[in-house]
Amino acid sequence: MDWKIFITVFATVFIAELGDKTQLATMLFAADKEVNKYLVFAAASGALIVASAIGVLAGSLLSEYINEKLLHYIAGIGFIAIGLFTLYRA
């Protein structure tokens, strides 16, 4: 196992998910006294796993048709565009 990649991906996803809408929604579900907290944890974890699997599959498929360097540029431009849009709307 390549621990450097594992730690990089783990840290990136962990930091990106802290305080986002998904975590806030999960917190609100868990705040309900009548809801099983383990069920909320299992459902939220399962959803993140499925979303991550879709990302891995999409990245694998795209890398077969598009150069990896170009994909990095596209992703970077996409993140910058989202940031600029967010700043514009604020």
Side-chain angles (χ1 to χ4, degrees):
M1 176 186 266
D2 189 344
W3 285 102
K4 183 179 178 183
I5 291 176
F6 178 86
I7 291 169
T8 301
V9 173
F10 180 89
T12 302
V13 173
F14 182 77
I15 291 169
E17 292 298 321
L18 282 178
D20 75 343
K21 294 178 288 188
T22 306
Q23 188 179 31
L24 296 174
T26 303
M27 184 176 59
L28 290 175
F29 282 118
D32 186 345
K33 294 183 191 302
E34 298 177 14
V35 173
N36 183 324
K37 308 313 181 223
Y38 294 111
L39 188 60
V40 172
F41 175 76
S45 298
L48 184 56
I49 289 169
V50 171
S52 296
I54 292 170
V56 169
L57 290 172
S60 296
L61 288 172
L62 286 174
S63 69
E64 290 182 18
Y65 301 103
I66 301 174
N67 182 338
E68 182 180 350
K69 191 170 186 170
L70 180 60
L71 282 175
H72 283 258
Y73 285 128
I74 292 170
I77 291 168
F79 278 115
I80 291 169
I82 291 169
L84 290 172
F85 178 75
T86 302
L87 286 173
Y88 174 75
R89 299 275 317 237

